[in-house]
Amino acid sequence: MMNSLFSSFDPTSSLKQMNWMMMTSTMIILPMNFWMKKSRWNTLKTNTTKFIKKEMLSNSKHKEIIMMACSLFMLIMINNLMGLFPYTFTPTSHMSISMTMALPMWMMMMMYSWINFTNKMFLHLLPQNTPSMIMPMMIVIETTGLIIRPISLSVRLMANMIAGHLLMTLLGDMNQNMFLLTTPLKMILMSFESSISIIQAYVFSTLITLYSSEIP
């Protein structure tokens, strides 16, 4: 039971799954420069990117980070949505993929900020008006929170993707006699999962820009 339940998250469990090739779906879908006129998908992509960029400009002043966060948003959203199709694999449900996106961004911001703004970054570890008695404890807490940021980013994305897929797998394995009962639940869950796929991409990219706002 457990093997079949978690088999959808095993990239080598079935030949029917597209496995890690799903990561290339973004490169197949996004290029739209071959058309003579702009398609509706191109218009939707452009409007979505503009909206996300406008939202992130209020979180960070670093335009380079905002551009990278917009690219991450499109990458994560498309992979999340493509993973909802039958016989497809969801790369973002694996720690290896989500950590690969979170850790380099975090390392890049930390290395840049600590090398160029060392004194100001030390000030971030100690909030203003902190009593002298708890200063050492606050420094330890702030340092720990700073270190676990890439872990929290990747685990949040992975856990949300796994939870919804497990629910759909459980409903799909139910008795066919309960078809009339499970079909409305599957439709509701599918709509819910579609919104979760977009929200998690938005949360991931927004948190990246919020972390970059601490860089002087």
Side-chain angles (χ1 to χ4, degrees):
M1 175 63 183
M2 295 304 293
N3 289 333
S4 62
L5 182 61
F6 288 94
S7 61
S8 59
F9 306 104
D10 185 1
T12 59
S13 62
S14 175
L15 295 176
K16 295 180 180 180
Q17 291 178 340
M18 296 179 69
N19 296 337
W20 302 112
M21 292 298 292
M22 283 302 298
M23 289 297 292
T24 63
S25 62
T26 309
M27 294 184 289
I28 298 172
I29 294 173
L30 285 182
M32 290 292 170
N33 295 327
F34 298 103
W35 300 97
M36 296 296 294
K37 296 178 63 177
K38 289 186 177 180
S39 62
R40 281 178 287 183
W41 163 248
N42 199 346
T43 305
L44 177 62
K45 183 189 71 173
T46 304
N47 292 336
T48 303
T49 306
K50 288 182 178 179
F51 174 77
I52 295 299
K53 185 177 180 180
K54 183 179 178 181
E55 288 289 321
M56 293 180 181
L57 280 172
S58 60
N59 299 329
S60 176
K61 62 181 179 180
H62 302 283
K63 294 182 179 181
E64 297 83 1
I65 299 294
I66 293 175
M67 291 176 61
M68 297 182 70
C70 289
S71 300
L72 276 176
F73 171 80
M74 297 299 294
L75 175 68
I76 297 172
M77 182 183 68
I78 291 175
N79 277 283
N80 289 348
L81 293 175
M82 292 293 289
L84 297 176
F85 288 90
Y87 301 109
T88 55
F89 179 64
T90 311
T92 49
S93 64
H94 273 256
M95 193 72 172
S96 58
I97 298 297
S98 55
M99 182 63 80
T100 302
M101 293 183 288
L103 188 59
M105 292 289 293
W106 179 82
M107 285 291 293
M108 175 189 65
M109 291 187 292
M110 289 297 101
M111 290 177 65
Y112 172 79
S113 56
W114 281 99
I115 291 173
N116 295 284
F117 309 101
T118 307
N119 294 331
K120 292 183 179 180
M121 291 304 295
F122 273 116
L123 293 176
H124 279 297
L125 299 179
L126 190 64
Q128 292 182 351
N129 302 321
T130 303
S132 57
M133 293 291 292
I134 62 173
M135 279 185 179
M137 184 177 66
M138 289 301 298
I139 292 175
V140 173
I141 293 173
E142 290 293 328
T143 304
T144 305
L146 196 65
I147 293 174
I148 66 172
R149 280 180 177 179
I151 301 175
S152 62
L153 275 175
S154 53
V155 169
R156 182 187 296 108
L157 177 61
M158 178 194 69
N160 280 280
M161 291 299 103
I162 287 178
H165 284 64
L166 284 179
L167 285 174
M168 288 191 289
T169 303
L170 289 172
L171 287 175
D173 290 341
M174 292 182 69
N175 195 335
Q176 294 297 325
N177 295 330
M178 303 180 66
F179 177 78
L180 294 177
L181 177 63
T182 58
T183 299
L185 293 176
K186 290 178 182 178
M187 295 175 64
I188 295 172
L189 186 59
M190 191 68 179
S191 303
F192 181 72
E193 275 299 296
S194 300
S195 60
I196 288 295
S197 300
I198 301 173
I199 291 172
Q200 287 305 311
Y202 177 77
V203 169
F204 191 98
S205 55
T206 301
L207 287 176
I208 289 291
T209 55
L210 286 175
Y211 295 158
S212 68
S213 64
E214 298 180 359
I215 301 176

